[in-house]
Amino acid sequence: MKRKLADIAHSRAGDKGNTLILSLIPFQEGDFDFLVENITAEKVKAHFGFQVKGEIIRYVLPELKALQFTCFEALTSGVTTSLAMDAHGKSLSYALLEMEIGEGV
Amino acid sequence: MKEKIRIGCGAGFSGDRIEPALILCEKGNLDYLVLECLAERTIALAQKRKKLDPNKGYDVLLERRIEGLLPLLLRNKTRLITNMGAANPIEGAKKIIEIARNQGLKVKVAVILGDDVFDRISGEELSMEGKKPLSSYGKLVSANAYLGIDAILPALQTDANIILTGRVADPSLFLAPMINEFGWNPTDFDLMGKGTVIGHLLECAGQITGGYFADPVSKPIPDMHILGHPMVDINRDGSGVISKVHETGGAITVQTAKEQLLYEVIDPGKYYTPDVVADFRSVRFQELGKNQIQVNGGSGNPKPETLKVSIGYEAGYIGEGEISYAGANAKERAKLAGEIIEKRIADRFEEFRIDYIGLSSLHGTTLSYESEPYEIRLRIAAKTKDQSLAQLVGEEVEALYTNGPAGGGGARKYVHEVIGVVSILMDRNLIKSTVQILES
């Protein structure tokens, strides 16, 4: 069965202007290294091409055992003037978690 | 000087629930209660209310929150720090005094002024977001600088029961009482960083107790209908333990704390506030017991020379219309309805958008291309400077009842005014804050 990020990690979306910020946190800290190795900024950009027009920067937080993805030009015109249903992008954490990952961790 | 203080956070945005703050205040044994009620756009909207009525422009829920809290605050000797002053802290303070008089209570309110810098904006400044002159966005309606601890501390040094602010950086609402009680040196940026970490963890209230976290399958949270808001015991060394009142719902775990620590943080090594550039990378969480999370670590670098200023501008109107389809060919009928509207009116708007709720309104079609929902809701949204033209969107969608595809039901229409927000940086020496005391 195909596995998704949602099977091993959770995420929260935040916004600042037109910038979308997504955390990625493994349920089991033992899965942190797998995330570091496999969930690169490039992979997230490919997954989120439909939403993120700008650069994606990945921050690795070994003390916290978490990743942070800062996505620029990601919320159409920005929270305050966007026509989008979810102008803040609050639901986009679950779009990240839809990413398919390999069978073995 | 104290060795330990307790701060609760009873609201994390202007529309937050009323009763968690009452429960914290009644049973939390708090030294301070913070209510954070001012988002970027909230203050611009408040400026517009103030323009219509000079006695208004403070938080719309201020009366309801204060009426319930005031007797508890005074009885338990808990000081309230809140940004519910919004665009008009003086009038907000007068309202608090009026409430106290009606309740036969004696209260002293310290009002912090100076965040409103509208008179120092020329319009030629370039926005941080688009690098365009502010005047090119539309008519400017507000300019509020993010004040920090140096604005709040003089108010805390009075014996005021309530400290009422306008625009202040959210973590500063928490850091200021720590400095006040522990005698921390504001240029000890490691301590400023640690205090800012704790402020940031608490500022969204329910978001660290299971709100915006819960998923009944992967992250279940108990009793969310009575979600408790957080409180923190802070030690003089800048460490703390986050907890909540026992009989409330929700949960505080290492997982909820991690999610909230990273929430809205653009660079975890450089979290800018007026007080410090905090570094979150060394923060550690440890579970001491059920709903008790110890926070250690965090550090900081010297505060920035500039303060962020939020600029509100008139960005026109958004008109919306929605209608639903279900059953056989629901998707095709919704798409036909969308095409009809697009052909009739799209070219009259600056921006025009079609969404299929249930299929692609949140994440587009990339992730949902195979999905065949039983029912689907068409949503049309369009932006224009012309208020009556904005109404046309909903009217056209409603007219699909009798002129559009089969089985369209539940049409709704909305128009709202849009206030856009952009930011600039301003030399902090140009921004002076003052404290004014009002008492009943």
Side-chain angles (χ1 to χ4, degrees):
Chain A
M1 202 181 108
K2 276 184 187 164
R3 288 158 53 95
K4 289 180 175 178
L5 264 183
D7 295 326
I8 63 166
H10 57 109
S11 170
R12 174 171 296 194
D15 63 278
K16 283 279 175 210
N18 202 1
T19 305
L20 168 71
I21 300 139
L22 298 167
S23 57
L24 187 64
I25 304 163
F27 289 113
Q28 306 296 331
E29 293 197 341
D31 285 337
F32 175 64
D33 292 340
F34 172 85
L35 295 180
V36 173
E37 205 167 304
N38 290 280
I39 314 303
T40 59
E42 296 71 36
K43 234 180 196 166
V44 174
K45 174 81 183 176
H47 180 70
F48 259 114
F50 60 92
Q51 183 76 31
V52 180
K53 306 296 170 220
E55 187 191 5
I56 296 181
I57 298 177
R58 184 181 85 158
Y59 295 95
V60 178
L61 300 155
E63 191 72 55
L64 209 61
K65 299 269 189 284
L67 297 178
Q68 178 91 314
F69 295 92
T70 299
C71 313
F72 296 95
E73 295 169 67
L75 298 169
T76 58
S77 61
V79 172
T80 52
T81 56
S82 167
L83 284 186
M85 281 282 296
D86 176 16
H88 297 86
K90 286 184 182 285
S91 70
L92 289 167
S93 50
Y94 275 81
L96 174 63
L97 297 176
E98 281 292 298
M99 190 191 286
E100 288 181 358
I101 55 176
E103 284 177 30
V105 172
Chain B
M1 291 291 156
K2 290 185 182 165
E3 288 303 313
K4 188 191 271 193
I5 58 167
R6 179 174 282 186
I7 306 176
C9 183
F13 80 110
S14 62
D16 212 336
R17 290 178 183 161
I18 302 275
E19 88 274 1
L22 295 171
I23 293 168
L24 271 172
C25 207
E26 189 171 2
K27 299 179 177 166
N29 199 17
L30 304 179
D31 296 302
Y32 292 89
L33 174 69
V34 172
L35 302 177
E36 195 292 286
C37 298
L38 203 54
E40 274 199 324
R41 193 164 51 163
T42 323
I43 195 155
L45 295 170
Q47 291 284 10
K48 294 213 70 158
R49 288 199 305 277
K50 182 183 174 184
K51 210 166 276 182
L52 293 172
D53 179 350
N55 299 317
K56 292 272 163 34
Y58 51 84
D59 188 278
V60 288
L61 288 178
L62 179 141
E63 286 178 71
R64 275 168 66 192
R65 293 195 196 277
I66 295 292
E67 275 172 3
L69 281 171
L70 197 55
L72 297 169
L73 290 168
L74 296 175
R75 191 209 304 155
N76 297 334
K77 298 191 168 46
T78 299
R79 299 177 87 185
L80 173 66
I81 307 174
T82 177
N83 53 18
M84 281 197 292
N88 205 348
I90 285 286
E91 289 302 320
K94 286 186 192 162
K95 179 53 75 177
I96 294 173
I97 300 296
E98 182 190 317
I99 293 166
R101 284 194 182 128
N102 289 341
Q103 296 182 344
L105 297 169
K106 260 186 81 64
V107 69
K108 192 181 273 194
V109 184
V111 184
I112 294 169
L113 301 169
D115 62 304
D116 189 334
V117 293
F118 195 62
D119 60 1
R120 264 149 282 173
I121 300 293
S122 71
E124 288 163 22
E125 300 88 347
L126 301 182
S127 70
M128 287 165 71
E129 292 82 0
K131 315 279 180 240
K132 289 192 297 180
L134 295 178
S135 54
S136 69
Y137 283 90
K139 189 183 167 208
L140 303 183
V141 294
S142 66
N144 291 81
Y146 281 80
L147 303 180
I149 50 171
D150 33 1
I152 305 171
L153 282 169
L156 284 171
Q157 281 148 14
T158 70
D159 60 347
N161 312 96
I162 296 177
I163 288 87
L164 188 66
T165 78
R167 179 79 281 161
V168 168
D170 299 346
S172 308
L173 298 167
F174 299 84
L175 181 58
M178 297 178 210
I179 296 169
N180 187 52
E181 298 288 353
F182 297 138
W184 286 350
N185 182 345
T187 60
D188 184 334
F189 292 108
D190 271 341
L191 277 177
M192 297 305 105
K194 288 182 200 327
T196 295
V197 165
I198 287 177
H200 174 70
L201 286 167
L202 258 75
E203 71 181 57
C204 295
Q207 283 198 182
I208 196 167
T209 58
Y212 197 42
F213 175 91
D215 179 324
V217 178
S218 61
K219 300 186 289 181
I221 295 289
D223 297 326
M224 292 191 71
H225 64 292
I226 48 166
L227 191 80
H229 281 188
M231 55 192 189
V232 59
D233 289 316
I234 304 139
N235 303 307
R236 176 187 281 281
D237 67 1
S239 64
V241 176
I242 300 175
S243 63
K244 63 187 186 68
V245 172
H246 279 305
E247 61 264 38
T248 59
I252 305 174
T253 66
V254 169
Q255 305 283 18
T256 65
K258 283 185 182 180
E259 278 200 14
Q260 183 56 25
L261 181 73
L262 296 176
Y263 177 67
E264 290 185 340
V265 175
I266 288 180
D267 178 345
K270 291 184 196 129
Y271 182 77
Y272 281 82
T273 80
D275 315 317
V276 63
V277 182
D279 186 341
F280 290 1
R281 290 174 298 180
S282 63
V283 173
R284 298 179 307 281
F285 298 114
Q286 193 192 342
E287 189 166 333
L288 297 183
K290 195 180 174 201
N291 297 318
Q292 278 201 315
I293 297 296
Q294 167 131 14
V295 188
N296 284 99
S299 60
N301 288 296
K303 64 185 180 185
E305 294 298 315
T306 51
L307 297 182
K308 185 171 146 183
V309 178
S310 277
I311 313 284
Y313 63 94
E314 291 182 353
Y317 298 85
I318 290 179
E320 292 173 89
E322 296 176 3
I323 189 166
S324 289
Y325 300 88
N329 313 322
K331 191 156 89 178
E332 287 73 16
R333 282 180 285 129
K335 286 194 168 160
L336 171 59
E339 284 161 24
I340 293 169
I341 305 291
E342 187 170 22
K343 281 182 186 158
R344 285 178 60 81
I345 65 168
D347 59 0
R348 298 175 65 183
F349 293 87
E350 293 163 28
E351 283 178 57
F352 183 88
R353 179 177 168 119
I354 303 176
D355 281 313
Y356 300 98
I357 298 173
L359 181 71
S360 57
S361 67
L362 295 175
H363 300 165
T365 52
T366 316
L367 301 171
S368 66
Y369 64 101
E370 286 169 332
S371 122
E372 280 296 334
Y374 179 78
E375 59 179 66
I376 192 160
R377 186 160 179 81
L378 171 73
R379 169 189 182 252
I380 307 278
K383 204 192 292 177
T384 169
K385 299 252 183 308
D386 177 347
Q387 188 170 10
S388 57
L389 184 59
Q391 287 172 358
L392 182 68
V393 180
E395 289 163 8
E396 281 288 331
V397 171
E398 192 176 43
L400 290 170
Y401 269 139
T402 57
N403 299 282
R412 298 281 187 281
K413 52 187 176 182
Y414 318 93
V415 171
H416 68 269
E417 190 181 355
V418 187
I419 299 292
V421 174
V422 288
S423 316
I424 59 166
L425 295 175
M426 188 179 275
D427 179 353
R428 65 189 305 153
N429 296 313
L430 294 175
I431 299 159
K432 296 268 178 272
S433 62
T434 57
V435 176
Q436 202 167 322
I437 305 285
L438 277 74
E439 47 192 318
S440 62

